[in-house]
Amino acid sequence: MTQQADTKPPVSLKNELIRLMCVTMACSVTEVVCYGDAAHVYAGIMTGNTVQLGWTLSAGQYVKALPIVIALGSFFIGCVVASFFRVQLKPLRRVYWLMASLLTMASIVRFHTPLHLFVELPLLAFTMALQGEGLSQFAGVKLQTVVVTNNLVKFAKALTERYINPAVDPSKIPSRADVLVPGVCWCTFCTGAGIGALLSVHHAYPLIVPIGLLLFLGASERTNT
């Protein structure tokens, strides 16, 4: 990428970083709540779920594999639905509203333990799929808020190529946004995981935080359009 991205007004980059932080915080808190409620299965981290699935199947622990299969299946279906209805999910506020609605339903059913695996888990996994499919670009930088490892790789690469070992050709130097977006995303996810853990222990409605953030983003998107 060229350095043209740096010519954007600072307020534009600031607003995009705020949006990124809200989306990532909503994602990380939801992940932690799901992990605690649904037999230590992730709502959106399918790499971890796939590792656990392989482990449980090889050990013949088919009952433990069931919630993992539910999460993987729900996430996959969510991606298919989001891709199929891509046009209908524009503008972005529709994605925010839909995600907030699904999290509200999950927040209600999580008080009933028998529904954790068969209702709450699919709702949360479906929500993460919508986020992964519908919210994948911030300040012109493509990135998935549900794939933390890839963001850390992008951050390290862009940081090195811009500040530590920049190319001789200025057009090949990553922009400031290329560095900030994945770095801020990873830091926010880490912070959100801690907040989500505290909320899960000390608050009856931990999902109120991601719901509030998504409603805020939906309202902001409506104001800006």
Side-chain angles (χ1 to χ4, degrees):
M1 294 182 63
T2 65
Q3 287 185 301
Q4 291 180 350
D6 283 338
T7 62
K8 290 183 178 181
V11 175
S12 176
L13 178 57
K14 177 182 176 181
N15 288 344
E16 282 292 279
L17 289 176
I18 291 174
R19 184 170 73 93
L20 170 66
M21 292 173 68
C22 289
V23 170
T24 305
M25 182 70 67
C27 175
S28 58
V29 173
T30 301
E31 287 283 11
V32 172
V33 172
C34 182
Y35 186 82
D37 287 353
H40 291 179
V41 175
Y42 297 107
I45 306 176
M46 293 303 120
T47 301
N49 285 342
T50 302
V51 170
Q52 289 192 61
L53 180 62
W55 182 277
T56 54
L57 290 178
S58 65
Q61 299 172 337
Y62 303 116
V63 174
K64 289 186 177 181
L66 178 59
I68 305 173
V69 172
I70 292 174
L72 287 165
S74 300
F75 189 89
F76 181 80
I77 293 172
C79 288
V80 171
V81 171
S83 180
F84 187 81
F85 291 102
R86 185 181 298 274
V87 176
Q88 287 78 6
L89 290 175
K90 292 181 180 179
L92 283 179
R93 64 173 176 269
R94 294 182 181 176
V95 179
Y96 299 136
W97 297 139
L98 181 55
M99 288 175 61
S101 298
L102 292 171
L103 290 180
T104 299
M105 288 188 283
S107 187
I108 295 172
V109 302
R110 70 182 298 268
F111 286 101
H112 305 280
T113 303
L115 300 180
H116 282 180
L117 295 183
F118 299 103
V119 180
E120 181 189 355
L121 176 57
L123 284 172
L124 297 181
F126 195 94
T127 302
M128 290 297 96
L130 290 178
Q131 180 165 323
E133 183 67 22
L135 306 170
S136 58
Q137 184 164 305
F138 301 85
V141 179
K142 290 185 177 180
L143 123 161
Q144 290 283 349
T145 54
V146 296
V147 186
V148 187
T149 304
N150 193 40
N151 294 338
L152 189 58
V153 171
K154 284 188 174 184
F155 175 51
K157 184 176 184 296
L159 181 69
T160 301
E161 294 181 351
R162 180 174 174 85
Y163 295 109
I164 300 176
N165 186 31
V168 177
D169 185 354
S171 66
K172 295 182 179 181
I173 298 177
S175 68
R176 184 176 55 173
D178 289 326
V179 179
L180 286 175
V181 168
V184 168
C185 183
W186 185 84
C187 291
T188 304
F189 197 101
C190 182
T191 303
I195 293 174
L198 290 174
L199 288 171
S200 296
V201 174
H202 301 291
H203 200 284
Y205 297 92
L207 291 176
I208 196 67
V209 170
I211 292 170
L213 290 170
L214 292 168
L215 292 176
F216 164 74
L217 289 172
S220 299
E221 183 77 15
R222 195 166 193 171
T223 300
N224 295 331
T225 53

